[in-house]
Amino acid sequence: MIELGILNNGNTDLPVYQNPDGIYLTEGGFQDSFSAMQRVLRRQINQGVLADKLGYDYFFLTEHHFQPEGAEHSPNPMMVEAAVAVLTERIRLGQMANIIPWHHPLRLAEQASMLDIMSDGRLEFGIGRGYQAREAEVLGRPYGAGVQDNEANRALFEESYQLLIKAFTQESFSHRGEFYTVPPSYVNWHHPQTIAYYQQEAVNRTVEQVMNIGQPTGRGGVTSATTTLKEITVGPQPLQKPYPQIWMPMTTKRSAEWAASNGVNGIYAATPNNLLEKELDIYHHAARNAGWPDRLERGEFKRGWDAERKRGVVAVRMVHVVEGELGDAKLYDKGLNLNIEYMKVFGALGVQLAHAGFDEASTKSMSSSGLNLIGSPGLVLDAVADMKTAGKFDDMMILLVFDMHSLPEQMVNDQMQYFSEEIMPVLHKEYGRKADEPALYPAPAPRLPRG
């Protein structure tokens, strides 16, 4: 079987040019960049709604900040997807990813649960560690780590993951870790309503489990005694139980093994065909050695992707169909060069791009790697078959990137529609498609028209 999703990376619509030093840049200054960011936000919402109408299975967004260059602008994927959620009924909403060392994990858990509720159980929850210092040192440092101390960042990521799972699954809990103490040991909370709440038979925790009842101090209010909290409750919890499927991008062996060992789906954002078999082997060997961990305890899953269980790994591929008046290879090539110019300098991501076999960004070199599918419909269909063979996939899920830098929004929409009408049916016929499932939860009541 095959499933198909859309990935939007927050691409600028500003024109792209090459400066005298050969560097690809967007035209304009700060205000041009800010205006483009506003358009990107509306474009992401529109694209998510269109993807739902056209029959795509997933809509994924990234998280990136502080980029006047325009390469990536997507500062809050779950907020954008909340807007998409209330305008759609079927498509599943994912993130590649929420960078959890940049957020307090309990606030992130609340937001994720809210999106799962607003979408009637369609959240696919993405997590990541981050890799760009400009973002990570600004946003991660207050929580205990950036990326320039790699081991601290990894430790913070793993502890934040533990807190997220507790918030999703436990009614009342505490946490004592290296980065977080929840609740802090010094929190005074002598509240008569709280004490009475935990004295109810219907509540599964006692006052003694949740509070240390202390002596009066005469200060008044909730601090009128030395009573402190021992546990807290985080809500709402997600509709999907025990929690939504979790995903993460993978660029190293260590990250792939961690994801597989924790029942987390993997995303290969820039893995060329010549590395797919090796990378899938790493993930599946680790999953097997860990006993096939899965949030629903369903056991062994298929190699690559298991469409029935929605478990395993997926690959990202950039697509631009050139057929008659559809598509613009030269304009697309400019945007691709801006994209690769920005991406290729980042550590493990740059290493993977180097393995794709190109010295400079071009549609020709990227197409030969299998990462960039530009050309006729036949070329795209052949490239999907090549990817399946290269990775030895059973089922497949592909995240398709249609929205490249500098492309007009209508051109991207036309690409999505053409793919859905002319290429998607062939892929479903060739590889199979699981029948649409009924919504996990009832759709919300129709909204009243405005005005």
Side-chain angles (χ1 to χ4, degrees):
M1 294 183 186
I2 189 168
E3 294 188 290
L4 300 165
I6 300 289
L7 171 64
N8 184 298
N9 199 34
N11 301 310
T12 183
D13 62 359
L14 293 174
V16 175
Y17 75 102
Q18 195 171 18
N19 77 1
D21 295 324
I23 298 173
Y24 286 88
L25 296 169
T26 55
E27 294 181 3
F30 286 130
Q31 293 306 315
D32 300 293
S33 181
F34 292 150
S35 295
M37 292 175 186
Q38 294 171 350
R39 293 192 296 274
V40 165
L41 171 60
R42 297 186 181 96
R43 184 162 167 161
Q44 287 180 325
I45 296 170
N46 294 340
Q47 194 171 111
V49 174
L50 179 62
D52 181 68
K53 291 179 180 178
L54 293 177
Y56 292 93
D57 301 300
Y58 298 82
F59 182 60
F60 273 70
L61 297 174
T62 59
E63 180 183 355
H64 286 291
H65 307 262
F66 316 140
Q67 297 188 17
E69 306 92 344
E72 303 169 300
H73 180 75
S74 191
N76 197 323
M78 288 200 294
M79 179 175 283
V80 176
E81 288 174 343
V84 175
V86 300
L87 297 171
T88 59
E89 295 183 358
R90 183 192 55 80
I91 198 164
R92 302 195 66 80
L93 304 170
Q95 307 85 45
M96 196 187 85
N98 300 291
I99 309 304
I100 59 177
W102 303 349
H103 302 267
H104 194 291
L106 298 186
R107 294 199 69 183
L108 194 62
E110 292 171 335
Q111 293 164 15
S113 295
M114 291 170 69
L115 178 54
D116 197 46
I117 295 164
M118 294 171 70
S119 65
D120 305 311
R122 290 184 279 140
L123 172 65
E124 304 287 329
F125 184 56
I127 61 174
R129 291 177 52 213
Y131 63 93
Q132 299 185 24
R134 177 171 55 183
E135 302 170 319
E137 300 305 320
V138 172
L139 295 174
R141 187 62 57 188
Y143 296 110
V147 291
Q148 294 179 190
D149 184 343
N150 184 57
E151 293 307 314
N153 176 273
R154 185 177 295 278
L156 175 58
F157 170 85
E158 293 183 1
E159 184 175 330
S160 296
Y161 175 80
Q162 294 171 8
L163 260 172
L164 283 164
I165 298 300
K166 286 183 177 180
F168 286 152
T169 61
Q170 297 185 23
E171 294 177 333
S172 182
F173 65 90
S174 63
H175 177 86
R176 300 290 182 267
E178 186 173 357
F179 297 92
Y180 294 104
T181 299
V182 178
S185 60
Y186 53 80
V187 177
N188 285 125
W189 192 259
H190 190 82
H191 200 302
Q193 193 174 56
T194 304
I195 295 171
Y197 178 85
Y198 287 103
Q199 290 172 338
Q200 299 176 101
E201 290 186 9
V203 178
N204 294 325
R205 304 296 283 171
T206 66
V207 173
E208 292 73 23
Q209 289 173 310
V210 176
M211 308 171 76
N212 281 315
I213 303 298
Q215 299 299 315
T217 63
R219 289 180 292 180
V222 296
T223 60
S224 63
T226 56
T227 299
T228 55
L229 285 177
K230 297 163 67 175
E231 293 183 350
I232 63 166
T233 293
V234 176
Q237 289 189 334
L239 290 180
Q240 298 181 80
K241 300 300 179 185
Y243 49 84
Q245 178 62 51
I246 298 179
W247 301 66
M248 66 177 283
M250 304 181 306
T251 54
T252 66
K253 182 174 184 288
R254 190 174 176 183
S255 63
E257 290 177 339
W258 185 91
S261 299
N262 285 275
V264 173
N265 285 353
I267 304 173
Y268 296 120
T271 303
N273 282 356
N274 62 358
L275 293 182
L276 277 174
E277 182 177 359
K278 174 185 174 183
E279 296 296 334
L280 264 67
D281 285 346
I282 291 171
Y283 185 91
H284 282 272
H285 288 165
R288 182 181 63 242
N289 292 339
W292 302 102
D294 175 69
R295 69 189 181 98
L296 297 175
E297 299 181 359
R298 294 167 294 184
E300 183 175 355
F301 47 89
K302 295 178 181 179
R303 177 179 172 85
W305 180 245
D306 190 320
E308 184 75 28
R309 291 175 171 84
K310 299 192 183 298
R311 275 287 285 119
V313 298
V314 306
V316 176
R317 292 294 183 262
M318 296 176 283
V319 178
H320 190 73
V321 179
V322 181
E323 180 83 347
E325 296 183 358
L326 180 72
D328 186 330
K330 291 184 179 179
L331 184 61
Y332 181 88
D333 193 60
K334 280 189 175 182
L336 176 66
N337 274 280
L338 177 73
N339 188 59
I340 302 303
E341 184 94 54
Y342 188 78
M343 298 293 184
K344 67 184 181 181
V345 298
F346 293 113
L349 181 61
V351 170
Q352 285 203 334
L353 291 172
H355 272 289
F358 63 89
D359 297 318
E360 61 182 26
S362 72
T363 54
K364 182 178 179 180
S365 61
M366 293 289 284
S367 291
S368 65
S369 73
L371 290 176
N372 181 46
L373 315 184
I374 178 169
S376 69
L379 180 147
V380 174
L381 291 167
D382 289 344
V384 172
D386 291 343
M387 189 185 105
K388 188 176 193 300
T389 300
K392 298 181 179 178
F393 285 86
D394 288 329
D395 296 343
M396 278 192 300
M397 176 182 159
I398 308 174
L399 285 177
L400 305 165
V401 180
F402 293 107
D403 200 339
M404 184 53 67
H405 305 297
S406 80
L407 296 186
E409 183 173 9
Q410 188 58 53
M411 181 181 290
V412 175
N413 293 348
D414 290 344
Q415 288 283 325
M416 291 172 58
Q417 183 167 349
Y418 183 90
F419 190 100
S420 72
E421 293 175 352
E422 303 297 332
I423 298 178
M424 189 187 295
V426 179
L427 294 175
H428 287 156
K429 182 178 180 181
E430 179 71 20
Y431 303 110
R433 181 183 189 183
K434 192 171 184 292
D436 288 340
E437 299 175 359
L440 182 60
Y441 296 93
R447 296 171 185 79
L448 295 176
R450 296 181 180 179

